[in-house]
Amino acid sequence: SRREGVAEIPAVMSALEKDPKDLNARIYLAQLLVWSKRYEESDVHLQEALNQSPDKPDLFQYIAVAYTVSGRTEKAIDTYQRGSEKFPTYPGFALGLAMIYRDRGRFDDAVREYNRMLELKPDAAETMKIYGDMLLDNGRRREALQMYKRSLQFIPNDAPTVFNAGLLAAKLGEKEYALASFELLRLLDPARARKLERCLRLLGMK
């Protein structure tokens, strides 16, 4: 448990004193210190971990996530940006920034980073889904539909996305696509199919 982990802090510190180059122990200690809300101490070890292994993009990602979950998003943004500069083809940094910007209401910045993520990883269907959700939440319905359709090229039987795309297509007047989504949902998820059917009837498409 987390409480038991926090109790390990003295032992992990002792192990690091004996072997300061033990990267796994240092990262684990930083995590335990975050759990204890001893953020300044944690930051020292996170930075030292980066100094020891500056060529590991996963480490930048881990540290940025640690900052994010502890509510220190400015530090997370800075870490993601530094990681992006050092490893420009690593998609995780763009995704991390996109999600922070989305949660902060920085729509244009989020769009830029989601697009960058998809340039780096064009088959990231799950990212397309959450990007589509953000576009929809911000009134960009046609762009959202295109993103849902794009994700379905990779995960054609994902029932929630089939439903979202079908419903949005119906609202935008794409009757043929909406009806095709309904027929597919009848096979994948009858409950969602019935829900979409009710919407289609209300819109005069069925």
Side-chain angles (χ1 to χ4, degrees):
S1 70
R2 182 169 294 193
R3 182 177 298 178
E4 292 171 344
V6 169
E8 293 182 58
I9 289 176
V12 180
M13 283 184 167
S14 178
L16 266 179
E17 288 177 3
K18 296 176 182 176
D19 184 5
K21 293 183 180 181
D22 187 339
L23 184 62
N24 290 331
R26 190 171 297 282
I27 293 172
Y28 184 49
L29 176 59
Q31 177 182 314
L32 297 177
L33 292 168
V34 167
W35 287 352
S36 301
K37 298 184 179 181
R38 293 161 61 177
Y39 298 137
E40 290 186 6
E41 293 176 76
S42 174
D43 289 354
V44 170
H45 291 286
L46 291 174
Q47 189 55 56
E48 180 57 30
L50 272 183
N51 293 340
Q52 288 182 13
S53 299
D55 295 322
K56 289 187 175 182
D58 290 355
L59 187 54
F60 279 86
Q61 176 93 30
Y62 177 88
I63 291 172
V65 170
Y67 286 141
T68 302
V69 299
S70 59
R72 296 172 297 159
T73 51
E74 289 301 328
K75 283 182 173 289
I77 289 171
D78 177 69
T79 304
Y80 279 130
Q81 289 175 338
R82 286 192 292 133
S84 293
E85 291 171 3
K86 190 172 181 64
F87 307 99
T89 61
Y90 188 79
F93 301 139
L95 179 60
L97 284 168
M99 296 177 74
I100 289 176
Y101 291 145
R102 177 201 63 190
D103 294 344
R104 289 185 140 201
R106 293 171 57 176
F107 178 76
D108 291 339
D109 289 330
V111 166
R112 182 189 68 243
E113 295 301 331
Y114 274 126
N115 287 336
R116 186 164 70 91
M117 160 66 179
L118 292 175
E119 287 175 6
L120 295 170
K121 192 171 175 56
D123 61 347
E126 292 299 322
T127 296
M128 295 170 198
K129 288 166 56 178
I130 60 175
Y131 186 12
D133 291 343
M134 186 195 76
L135 290 167
L136 183 59
D137 289 344
N138 284 272
R140 306 274 280 269
R141 297 195 302 173
R142 196 160 294 280
E143 292 169 77
L145 176 57
Q146 293 306 312
M147 196 54 59
Y148 289 143
K149 288 180 177 180
R150 186 174 167 186
S151 73
L152 287 169
Q153 293 175 6
F154 300 98
I155 45 171
N157 294 328
D158 185 74
T161 307
V162 173
F163 174 82
N164 288 341
L167 179 60
L168 198 47
K171 290 179 177 179
L172 292 172
E174 295 189 19
K175 181 177 179 179
E176 185 176 340
Y177 187 90
L179 290 174
S181 298
F182 166 69
E183 292 299 331
L184 180 56
L185 278 175
R186 290 178 65 187
L187 300 174
L188 298 176
D189 190 331
R192 280 193 171 90
R194 289 191 293 271
K195 187 176 179 181
L196 181 57
E197 183 178 29
R198 289 194 293 271
C199 296
L200 293 173
R201 291 188 187 282
L202 287 172
L203 291 168
M205 291 188 175
K206 208 171 188 322

